[in-house]
Amino acid sequence: MSWGDNSEINFIIAGDKIEQVNRFKYLGHYIHVDDKNYFHNTQIGAAYGAYNKYKHILQDQRINLKARSTLLCCYVRSRLTYGVQSWHLTEKQISKISAVWNRMVRKMIKGGYARKN
């Protein structure tokens, strides 16, 4: 049985029927049964939100790069890769997440978008 079909799944816990929903929030992240990319897009959105929150620190060249990269890993990468152990990613989704991460790292480094010969 797939999640997307119209059949109803009934769960009863302690005499209470559990409502079947198509979208729910779990540990601060939305999970949507019909759109497989919904969860990944919310992860990317959360990562961009965290990056923008700390952008003034992450892009400040006067702060040691190691300290900035530690902050990036703690606050941004954790949101980007939350629950990765349960994902079933396609190659396209993996490359999208990698591109988002690389874009954020390049923004931190002076000349990060400069072309190397």
Side-chain angles (χ1 to χ4, degrees):
M1 177 182 294
S2 70
W3 283 60
D5 61 11
N6 291 329
S7 61
E8 187 173 323
I9 302 170
N10 295 316
F11 290 105
I12 298 174
I13 299 176
D16 295 328
K17 184 177 177 185
I18 305 299
E19 179 185 0
Q20 182 176 346
V21 296
N22 290 327
R23 184 180 113 176
F24 65 96
K25 192 173 186 178
Y26 179 70
L27 297 176
H29 299 281
Y30 284 102
I31 298 174
H32 195 280
V33 296
D34 292 330
D35 186 3
K36 294 179 181 175
N37 291 322
Y38 186 84
F39 184 67
H40 306 297
N41 291 336
T42 57
Q43 296 296 110
I44 291 169
Y48 272 122
Y51 185 88
N52 288 329
K53 182 177 180 179
Y54 297 105
K55 183 165 122 173
H56 64 282
I57 297 170
L58 294 171
Q59 293 181 353
D60 189 351
Q61 300 297 317
R62 296 171 295 175
I63 300 173
N64 185 330
L65 181 60
K66 186 173 181 177
R68 291 184 288 139
S69 64
T70 301
L71 184 73
L72 183 74
C73 288
C74 290
Y75 290 107
V76 179
R77 188 177 69 179
S78 60
R79 285 174 175 81
L80 185 62
T81 60
Y82 175 80
V84 73
Q85 69 276 9
S86 63
W87 294 357
H88 300 287
L89 297 176
T90 63
E91 286 294 322
K92 185 177 179 182
Q93 291 169 330
I94 292 171
S95 66
K96 183 176 181 180
I97 290 172
S98 296
V100 168
W101 177 252
N102 289 336
R103 192 174 309 126
M104 291 177 183
V105 170
R106 283 176 173 247
K107 286 181 182 179
M108 283 179 46
I109 299 169
K110 185 176 182 179
Y113 285 103
R115 185 171 204 106
K116 293 183 180 180
N117 292 331

